[in-house]
Amino acid sequence: MIVDLNLKGRLVIVVGAGGEGLKKVNSLLTQDCRILVISDSASSQILKLAKEGKIEFKKMKLENAKFLTEYDPILIMAATDDRELNRHIVQQAKSMRCYAYAADDPEVSDFAHPSVINIEDTVQIAISTGGRSPAMARKLKLKAEKIFKDAIDKEDIYQIKLQKIARDAAKQKIPTVIQRKKFLYSVLNNNKIKQLLKEDDLPSAQREVMKMLGGWK
């Protein structure tokens, strides 16, 4: 079962800062979580992300997994080139009651890590083989990526952003879930708002939403 785990504001630890570690970090950058990378060395890309303040990097000689007890993460990802160490990291993570993932061993992981098509950091489409073949998941991602990027246009991205604004505002005024849902669909189907989004005028579309909400009964 593919789920979208809410990592917002939580700590995620990636152990290992080579190619696999970088892949895992890149998959986390849009999740609004704290990312801590721990390794005895790091690629230039990892160091660049740390310098930019997008992640934290801690240099440490990795001999066992006991160092993880110093932290309170929601998720730990083992991405070292030492299979035995990755197993120890997963075991330690599970003993700490947080999600565990090993890049080299989906069988011991709590979940399979899908290949993700990311469209403007707004839409994520996951392609997973359930850990059976990461290589095929990546290949299928490349085949599907152009199709999805052609199908989801700029107006769709604007509409998603506008729906978030409308939903947050509606929670303050409209008391029931059913009525809020009705309001959000009215925003989605409003021809004037559609035209404003086609014209790349998100601020005017947002003002139109607030006008609709002000007159909502």
Side-chain angles (χ1 to χ4, degrees):
M1 180 175 63
I2 296 175
V3 298
D4 189 3
L5 190 62
N6 181 8
L7 302 176
K8 185 175 182 179
R10 301 296 300 273
L11 173 64
V12 177
I13 297 176
V14 178
V15 186
E20 280 300 324
L22 180 62
K23 287 178 187 177
K24 302 312 171 232
V25 168
N26 284 335
S27 72
L28 293 166
L29 289 174
T30 60
Q31 300 304 305
D32 200 19
C33 59
R34 292 169 52 213
I35 305 169
L36 172 61
V37 179
I38 300 175
S39 184
D40 53 5
S41 61
S43 65
S44 58
Q45 296 99 317
I46 290 287
L47 294 175
K48 182 173 183 289
L49 289 170
K51 187 176 181 180
E52 292 171 348
K54 295 179 180 178
I55 67 171
E56 298 173 58
F57 172 65
K58 184 172 183 178
K59 188 173 182 179
M60 176 189 295
K61 188 174 181 181
L62 301 174
E63 296 178 335
N64 54 55
K66 291 181 181 178
F67 65 90
L68 293 169
T69 59
E70 299 175 18
Y71 304 96
D72 182 27
I74 187 174
L75 167 63
I76 297 173
M77 307 182 85
T80 78
D81 56 6
D82 184 331
R83 185 178 177 84
E84 185 177 352
L85 177 59
N86 285 345
R87 285 291 188 106
H88 288 315
I89 291 168
V90 166
Q91 290 167 4
Q92 183 65 57
K94 290 184 177 183
S95 73
M96 294 164 59
R97 298 184 180 276
C98 62
Y99 296 106
Y101 175 84
D104 60 352
D105 198 345
E107 291 298 321
V108 302
S109 303
D110 289 327
F111 58 91
H113 200 268
S115 287
V116 176
I117 299 169
N118 183 10
I119 302 174
E120 295 196 29
D121 292 341
T122 303
V123 177
Q124 286 81 42
I125 300 162
I127 297 177
S128 174
T129 60
R132 298 178 186 88
S133 175
M136 273 305 298
R138 286 191 290 271
K139 183 175 180 180
L140 292 173
K141 171 196 168 182
L142 293 174
K143 290 176 71 173
E145 195 161 23
K146 187 177 186 304
I147 296 170
F148 280 110
K149 287 188 173 180
D150 287 343
I152 299 172
D153 59 25
K154 200 167 187 179
E155 185 182 344
D156 295 321
I157 299 300
Y158 278 144
Q159 187 67 255
I160 292 168
K161 294 178 179 178
L162 189 65
Q163 283 283 309
K164 172 68 166 62
I165 293 167
R167 185 167 174 265
D168 289 344
K171 285 180 180 179
Q172 305 302 316
K173 180 168 182 179
I174 303 175
T176 70
V177 173
I178 292 174
Q179 285 296 99
R180 287 199 295 269
K181 186 175 180 180
K182 185 177 178 182
F183 170 71
L184 292 173
Y185 271 104
S186 73
V187 170
L188 190 65
N189 296 316
N190 184 281
N191 288 328
K192 183 174 182 180
I193 287 175
K194 287 181 183 178
Q195 185 59 41
L196 289 169
L197 296 182
K198 282 181 182 178
E199 295 169 0
D200 293 341
D201 193 352
L202 183 59
S204 292
Q206 183 177 343
R207 286 193 290 272
E208 188 64 27
V209 167
M210 296 307 153
K211 190 186 299 182
M212 290 171 63
L213 183 60
W216 187 263
K217 295 181 181 180

